[in-house]
Amino acid sequence: MTVITEANTAKARALLAELTLDEKIGMIHAAGLFRTEGVPRLGIPPFRMDDGPMGVRAELHNDSWVPLYNTRDYVTYLPSGSALASTWNPDLAYATGVALGEETRGRGKDVILGPSINIKRSPLCGRNFEYMSEDPVLTAEQAVRYVEGVQESDVAACAKHFAANSQETDRLYVDEAISNRALRELYLPAFEAAVKRAGVLSVMGAYNLVNGVRCCENGWLLDDVLRDEWDFDGFTVSDWSGVKRTKESAEVGLDVEMSVTPDFDDYYFANPLKEAVARGEVSEQDVDRKVFHVLCVMDALHMLPDGDGTRPVRKAGRYATLDYLQTALDVARESVVLLKNDDGLLPLDADRVTRLLVIGANADRVHSNGGGSAEIKALYEKSPLLALCSQLGGNVKVEYVPGYHAEQVVQDVSWQEGSLENSAGSDDADEARDCTLREEAVARARAYSEAGDPIVFVGGLDHEHDLEGRDRTDMTLPYGQDALIEALLDVAPNMIVTFVAGSPVEMPWADRAKAIVWSWYSGSEGATALAEVLTGAVNPSGHLPETFPMTLDDCPAHSIGTFGHEGHVEYTEDIYVGYRYYETKDVPVRFCFGHGLSYTTFEYADLDVRRVDDTVRVACTVTNTGSREGKTVVQAYFGLEGTGEDRPVKELKGFAKVDLVPGESRQVIIDIPEAKALGYWSVGADKWATAWGAAVYVGESVRDIRLTADLD
C-alpha cells in the first residue's frame, strides 16, 4: 500500500518554504484540461491527471477537447464498475487496478480518476454503469483492491465522487437532503475503506450539494470526516467545474480546482484566489495546506527531486499489451450473469449447432467510445456478433438481422462542456422502418424455430441511455425492444434473450423467456465472455450487484424519496435502498440482489457462526453437486437484533467466491470485524452503536438463503 511517509512530508515542507505565492497558486488549479502547473526552478513537475475508471482516456490538446493523437494513445478497454462488481471477486478488482495503473503510468499520467464508488440509489442514474453496487460492503471490498492495484505503479487512484453523486439531472446544483444514518451506513463507507484500508492518495469532490452545502465547499465532508476522522493525508480535487466560489472552497479541505474551459487564469483558485489573499479574505496558510498535500502525494509517487537534485526511480508503466487484454477477458468472464435458464436451455451444444440466428442491434455494436468521461480509445472491442462467429467457427452458419434500429453511438468531441447542462436524448423514431425491421426479424425467427435451430437476441442499452450528464426517464427498453421480444417469443419460445447494458431494465415478458443472460459494458473482450457463456466454454459465475425491480414504481428512491428533480432531492427512503427495502417490505422483484445461476449446482451445510476475538467468523461447507467445475459466491447477511430502532431485515456483511470441481467440498470462512458485523448508526444517539446480536443468513443471493443461525 502506498502511504505518505515522514520523509514525504519533510520534503514537502522544505519545498513549500521556497515557493512564491504565484507558484503555489499555479500548483492548485488547472493549467491545462488535465494538468496543473509545475515549478521548473525547483524541479516540481506538473500534476497530470486523466479519466477514467475503465481505461486511460485519449490524449487531448492542453486547452481544447479535441483529440491530439492518431494511433499512439490506444489503450485496453477495461470492464465497467458494474461488471467488476458483478464478479464478486476482489482479486479481479485488484487485477483491474494493476492493469489500469500500469497503463496510466505508461501514458505518462500521475493520477487516474477512478474508482467511481457512488451507491446506486435509482436504476435511472446515467452514470450507474461506472458505479459498482447498491451495497456499500460489496462496493468497498472491490474498491479497496482496485485502489491497491492502481497505486502499485506510482500512480494515485482518485476515489470519486465524494459524496452521494447519485443523479445526473441538475448535477452541478442539486441539493440532496440525506440523514446522518444514510450517509454513514450507505454513502460514505466505500470512501472510508478506500482511505483507511487502501490508502487512496486522491479523492474527488462531487458536484452536488449535501444538506445545503456544496460538496466542494463542505468542511464537514472534506475536513471533519475525510481528514480528521479518517486521517486522509492525500490530496483532494474538484470534479471538473465543481468549484463555484473562491473563498468558500479555499477555506475548506479542497486542494485542487479543475474545470472544462481553457480560461485557466480565471479559475476560482487562480487569479481570484490570489486577489482574495491580497485582500486578506483568504489566508495564505489555506493555500499552503493545499500545496502541502499536493507535494506529499507527488513525493510518494517519486515525482520530486532529492536534495541533491537527482530524481528517485519511478515506475515506467506500459500500455496496450496482451497482458491487460487478458485481464479484461478474465474479469468479463466472471461478470456475465445467468439470470434464468429454464429447461436447461443453455449452454448451446456448439458441436450440434449448424445454424444460428442472431437478432438485435446490440449484437453489432461496440460501446467503448461513449458514456461521457468513461469513454475509451480502445485498442479494440469485439461485438457480440463477431464473438459468436469467432467462437462457433466455420461449421456454423450465423445469420444476423437487427430487429430494431439503433445508431452506433459516437461521442461528439465537444460533449464535455455541454455536459454541464441537462441534456436530452435523441428521438430517432421511424414507424415504417421499425415495423419493417420487426417483421423481418419475426419471419426469420419463425423459420429458425420451426427448424429447431437456436436463436439469440442481443439487446439492451447503449451510451445514448447510460451516460454522464443525463438520467434515464424510465426503465423500459428503448427502440421498441419490448414489443419486438414479445413478438419473437410468440414464434420462437426457446429464443435466448441476452443483454448488454449498464443499468436494470423492466422485463414484462420475463416469465415467457426461458433463458436470460445479462452482460455489462465489459471491456475489450466482454463479447467474448458472453459468447463463451452461451456456448458453455465458460460456466457463468456473475451475481447481480444490484436489484432488478419489477417496475420503477417499486424503487424506494421513487416511491418514497425523490429522484431526478432539479434543485432539491429528498432521500426519504433513508437506508432502505435496494434490497434493504425490497427484503424488509417484502416487495417482489424481477431479479434480486446477489442473484446469479450456474451450469452446475452447489450445496451448503454446516453453518457455524461465532465470535473470535474482535471478529465474527461465519463458516460453512460448500459442495459442488453438479457435473462441471464452477464458482459460487457465498453471501453472508445479518439482521441486527436488540437495537431498538427500525432496521433492514438483511444487510450484506461479507462474501467469498469459491471455485469447486464436481464433487469437491470446501469449508468457506468469512471473517468480519465485529464493529462492521454488528455496528449501526443509532438515530437516537446520532453516533455508531453496536447490536448485541444478529440473525445470520448464508446463501447464493439475498433471497436464495441456504443456511441460518443466530449470533448471540
Side-chain angles (χ1 to χ4, degrees), residues 19 55 88 98 346 366-367 383 397 423 476 496 528 559 592 613 637 644 646 652:
L19 292 168
W88 290 63
V98 168
L346 288 172
V366 294
H367 303 277
S383 69
K397 178 183 178 182
S423 61
T476 59
I496 299 158
T528 298
S559 62
C592 70
D613 298 325
Y637 298 89
D646 69 286
L652 183 71

Side-chain angles (χ1 to χ4, degrees), residues 160-164 188 191 203-206 215 221-222 225-226 230:
K160 64 181 189 182
H161 311 81
F162 190 62
L188 297 184
F191 289 97
V203 172
M204 180 187 290
C215 286
L221 279 174
L222 296 172
V225 174
L226 184 62
W230 299 348

Side-chain angles (χ1 to χ4, degrees), residues 43-163:
I44 301 172
F47 222 177
R48 300 187 184 278
M49 312 177 204
D50 217 336
D51 293 316
M54 296 161 66
V56 191
R57 192 172 180 170
E59 205 70 38
L60 305 171
H61 287 271
N62 189 65
D63 57 357
S64 78
W65 296 96
V66 176
L68 180 61
Y69 296 138
N70 182 24
T71 64
R72 64 182 286 183
D73 53 350
Y74 287 106
V75 296
T76 306
Y77 172 33
L78 295 165
S80 67
S82 296
L84 187 57
S86 192
T87 70
W88 290 63
N89 188 336
D91 290 340
L92 288 178
Y94 172 76
T96 300
V98 168
L100 183 58
E102 279 264 311
E103 295 213 332
T104 301
R105 191 65 216 107
R107 284 277 303 279
K109 311 298 180 183
D110 309 308
V111 183
I112 190 69
L113 304 176
S116 301
I117 53 176
N118 294 112
I119 295 300
K120 299 185 184 189
R121 176 176 177 250
S122 161
L124 301 188
C125 177
R127 297 187 79 170
N128 273 353
F129 73 98
E130 291 184 51
Y131 303 154
M132 292 185 180
S133 176
E134 68 187 31
D135 182 79
V137 170
L138 177 57
T139 302
E141 293 304 313
Q142 297 295 81
V144 164
R145 296 294 282 147
Y146 179 108
V147 168
E148 290 173 342
V150 166
Q151 295 189 168
E152 282 196 0
S153 294
D154 287 345
V155 168
C158 182
K160 64 181 189 182
H161 311 81
F162 190 62

Side-chain angles (χ1 to χ4, degrees), residues 493-504:
N494 286 339
M495 181 179 72
I496 299 158
V497 182
T498 75
F499 293 106
V500 178
S503 303

